[in-house]
Amino acid sequence: MKLAKVKKGAILTLVLSLIVSLFASFSFAAEDPIGLVVNGEELQPDVPPQLINNRTMVPVRWVSEALGADITWDQENQRVLVNSSTDTPVTESSDIQLIVNGEVLQPDVPPQLINNRTMVPVRWVSEALGADVTWDQESQTVFIEAGASSDVPEGAVNIPNEYDEEFI
């Protein structure tokens, strides 16, 4: 009877140590940071790029200014104005609004305030400013090239999909 208790104790100890080791490996495994390169220059914003709801979010000021855009925060109306004036009409929204070149953008993941920085989907703001955006899966890096243009034939429509590819 005493031997059965010892066996049960040993099995319980093994099972618990296995569970603890699995938990430790998952909880301490750090994700690779997301890199951000604009026009060949690596940016390291004070709030790093983050993956939120399958979208790479970046501090809007860092990317916009790197692409040569003017940016203003309209505290009263909770709006980020990129190459836009404060005269842009205010629309009702409970989310932070992203306005680029006078147009309200409504990304599928809304702008968010993280560590006192307004984070926006990198593709939305970059492409609205005429830049090309590419993602390198292996290095977990976003590459943005200013001045790129997407030659969309007249009458064609860009249709976004869940992988941020464009079909024309």
Side-chain angles (χ1 to χ4, degrees):
M1 180 151 202
K2 194 173 184 181
L3 186 58
K5 284 184 179 182
V6 172
K7 284 183 179 180
K8 283 183 184 179
I11 291 172
L12 183 60
T13 302
L14 286 172
V15 169
L16 285 175
S17 61
L18 178 63
I19 291 171
V20 168
S21 67
L22 285 174
F23 174 73
S25 67
F26 285 120
S27 63
F28 295 116
E31 287 186 31
D32 291 333
I34 297 172
L36 179 61
V37 177
V38 179
N39 297 326
E41 182 180 334
E42 184 175 4
L43 299 183
Q44 295 184 336
D46 53 352
V47 177
Q50 300 174 31
L51 194 63
I52 299 174
N53 293 335
N54 259 353
R55 295 291 176 256
T56 303
M57 306 288 277
V58 296
V60 65
R61 181 171 300 278
W62 282 76
V63 171
S64 298
E65 288 180 348
L67 292 172
D70 293 320
I71 184 164
T72 305
W73 169 248
D74 179 359
Q75 176 67 36
E76 181 180 344
N77 298 305
Q78 296 288 289
R79 304 185 302 171
V80 177
L81 303 164
V82 181
N83 283 349
S84 303
S85 78
T86 53
D87 296 337
T88 304
V90 177
T91 58
E92 292 296 319
S93 175
S94 60
D95 294 324
I96 296 171
Q97 292 183 17
L98 175 60
I99 301 170
V100 180
N101 297 326
E103 291 187 38
V104 177
L105 298 183
Q106 296 180 337
D108 53 353
V109 177
Q112 301 176 28
L113 200 60
I114 298 175
N115 293 335
N116 215 22
R117 294 288 178 253
T118 304
M119 306 290 279
V120 298
V122 65
R123 184 172 298 278
W124 283 79
V125 71
S126 300
E127 289 181 352
L129 291 170
D132 266 344
V133 179
T134 56
W135 169 254
D136 181 39
Q137 181 66 33
E138 186 176 327
S139 67
Q140 297 286 293
T141 302
V142 176
F143 291 92
I144 304 169
E145 289 297 322
S149 64
S150 55
D151 295 326
V152 179
E154 191 172 323
V157 177
N158 284 335
I159 303 171
N161 66 33
E162 66 180 310
Y163 300 107
D164 277 334
E165 297 169 331
E166 291 183 355
F167 295 97
I168 301 176

